[in-house]
Amino acid sequence: MKLITKTALLAFSISLAANASAASNKLNIYTWSESIDPKLVTKFEKETGIEVTLDGYTSNEDLLAKLKSGGSDYDLVFPSQHFVKIMIQENLLKNIDAKGMAAFKQVDDRWKNKWWDETSEYSIPFAYGTAGYAVNRDKYKGPATSWKEFFEPTGAAAGNVAVFSTPDEVIPAAQLYLDIEFCSEDSAQMKRVYDLLKKQKPQVAVYSSDNINSRIASGEVVMHNWWDGNVLKARKNDNAPVEYAQPKEGLVGWLDSMVVPKGSRNSENAKKFMNWISQPDNATAEFNYYSHSSPVKLDQSLVVHKEENSPEIFPKVPVKFTRACSPAAQKLVDKVWTQLLQ
């Protein structure tokens, strides 16, 4: 009996060791769709022996829902600044002592110890930029210098506008246009936002954050909510007839960071990737691919997106970053969006 027990224990120990070993060379990443250069993923795998699985999402809301459901098995995710704050508050992230990591030393000082992670314990900045709208210049010849053209479309744009599928950047854009503070708790002011979006709705062909490139580049719609670097890539890489609007009221700012979910089983591998992708050579390759601005040090001799050829990521208008709203303000945002889509 003792022999059987010892054998069983030995087999169980071997099984545990095998499982631990299997987990130790894995890294499951959940990030913005098509955001990480596949060549860099291959390079990381070859240099470290870590096998990477990459899944994509198109909104912070989808990411948050996935983590809150408890059904995810991800080791590294990339929320925007206000969602980092929410995830910390809801105890969804691991404290990785980010300020002690090699990656943190590569971060520009202006992005350290920010309000969403004041003590820099949870997050390493990855990319930043703006949310606005693009126009198809083959189909639309009018101005793209105000949010008025987007929210109150006329001419070729009437009925041919596409809007993001979630309120995260749509409502702040409306607030910029109406000169209303982000995260307003004033129901009368939020009624103005609702009225604007409700008036726009008959001119909206689709509410979607997917397949934006094909939709706007093909001329299926003539205006589409989009992000700065995505417009830049479409224009440069695909020769798409798109232009990123420069609304005088301003653009909605965002900064995505790398964080480790509470349930990660490969957090050390996640930290290895964070340190690795933040090295100047890798960060530069990622910047050249992703085309959004980088908050870490780059090798300027290898940078391809510069102010003279990439106006999308060097805006000449104000940029205002979204914040994590109070429960009262968020309730009003949810109410506006729910009523709009009914």
Side-chain angles (χ1 to χ4, degrees):
M1 185 69 179
K2 286 183 180 180
L3 179 60
I4 294 173
T5 301
K6 287 180 179 179
T7 303
L9 284 173
L10 178 60
F12 181 65
S13 298
I14 292 173
S15 175
L16 284 178
N19 288 337
S21 176
S24 68
N25 71 338
K26 303 287 186 182
L27 177 61
N28 298 316
I29 298 177
Y30 193 38
T31 186
W32 295 92
S33 296
E34 300 180 353
S35 62
I36 299 177
D37 185 348
K39 293 180 181 177
L40 284 175
V41 173
T42 300
K43 180 183 177 185
F44 175 77
E45 289 179 323
K46 288 181 177 179
E47 290 185 7
T48 64
I50 296 170
E51 180 183 340
V52 177
T53 300
L54 206 61
D55 292 334
Y57 55 86
T58 58
S59 75
N60 281 295
E61 288 87 351
D62 288 347
L63 169 59
L64 181 61
K66 180 77 73 173
L67 295 189
K68 291 180 73 172
S69 72
S72 69
D73 189 30
Y74 295 112
D75 305 303
L76 186 62
V77 298
F78 294 69
S80 299
Q81 73 282 353
H82 47 317
F83 277 78
V84 172
K85 183 71 171 180
I86 292 168
M87 291 173 184
I88 292 173
Q89 291 173 335
E90 298 195 12
N91 196 31
L92 295 172
L93 303 181
K94 283 189 176 182
N95 183 330
I96 56 172
D97 187 27
K99 62 182 178 297
M101 293 173 57
F104 190 74
K105 296 180 176 61
Q106 301 299 320
V107 176
D108 189 293
D109 286 344
R110 65 179 170 141
W111 300 117
K112 293 179 179 179
N113 307 314
K114 303 299 289 186
W115 61 265
W116 55 86
D117 185 8
E118 293 178 355
T119 55
S120 295
E121 294 178 291
Y122 296 88
S123 63
I124 296 291
F126 176 70
Y128 69 94
T130 61
Y133 69 94
V135 299
N136 181 308
R137 278 305 184 196
D138 283 350
K139 301 289 185 178
Y140 175 78
K141 306 302 181 182
T145 57
S146 170
W147 281 106
K148 180 178 179 64
E149 288 96 44
F150 185 80
F151 288 117
E152 302 180 48
T154 59
N160 290 302
V161 175
V163 179
F164 286 144
S165 61
T166 60
D168 189 32
E169 289 157 331
V170 179
I171 286 181
Q175 290 169 324
L176 285 175
Y177 178 45
L178 298 172
D179 195 23
I180 296 172
E181 283 299 309
F182 290 177
C183 294
S184 173
E185 296 182 4
D186 186 331
S187 57
Q189 294 286 58
M190 292 304 291
K191 176 65 163 52
R192 292 177 61 208
V193 171
Y194 172 76
D195 289 343
L196 177 68
L197 297 178
K198 186 69 173 179
K199 183 180 178 182
Q200 181 202 34
K201 188 175 182 180
Q203 310 302 330
V204 176
V206 63
Y207 292 90
S208 176
S209 300
D210 299 318
N211 303 314
I212 296 176
N213 193 348
S214 61
R215 193 177 293 118
I216 184 69
S218 68
E220 179 184 336
V221 297
V222 303
M223 285 186 184
H224 208 312
N225 268 139
W226 216 2
W227 299 283
D228 54 350
N230 300 73
V231 182
L232 172 61
K233 285 178 71 174
R235 180 177 62 80
K236 282 189 174 183
N237 298 349
D238 306 329
N239 200 30
V242 293
E243 178 184 328
Y244 193 53
Q246 296 287 329
K248 61 186 179 183
E249 301 88 0
L251 291 161
V252 180
W254 56 265
L255 182 140
D256 295 335
S257 292
M258 298 178 282
V259 299
V260 179
K262 198 83 169 184
S264 167
R265 294 186 295 176
N266 303 293
S267 55
E268 289 305 311
N269 290 346
K271 292 172 71 173
K272 285 181 183 178
F273 183 86
M274 294 160 83
N275 286 329
W276 186 88
I277 199 72
S278 299
Q279 295 169 6
D281 56 339
N282 297 322
T284 304
E286 171 61 17
F287 167 71
N288 289 340
Y289 170 83
Y290 195 24
S291 305
H292 292 295
S293 299
S294 176
V296 302
K297 298 172 185 175
L298 302 179
D299 182 342
Q300 293 301 321
S301 68
L302 299 176
V303 165
V304 299
H305 304 308
K306 301 179 183 294
E307 188 166 3
E308 59 269 21
N309 64 9
S310 306
E312 295 90 345
I313 60 174
F314 294 92
K316 303 299 184 183
V317 297
V319 175
K320 186 173 181 180
F321 282 72
T322 49
R323 298 187 64 88
C325 296
S326 69
Q330 189 59 47
K331 185 176 180 180
L332 288 174
V333 168
D334 295 341
K335 181 179 179 180
V336 166
W337 198 250
T338 299
Q339 291 183 351
L340 174 69
L341 297 186
Q342 283 179 344

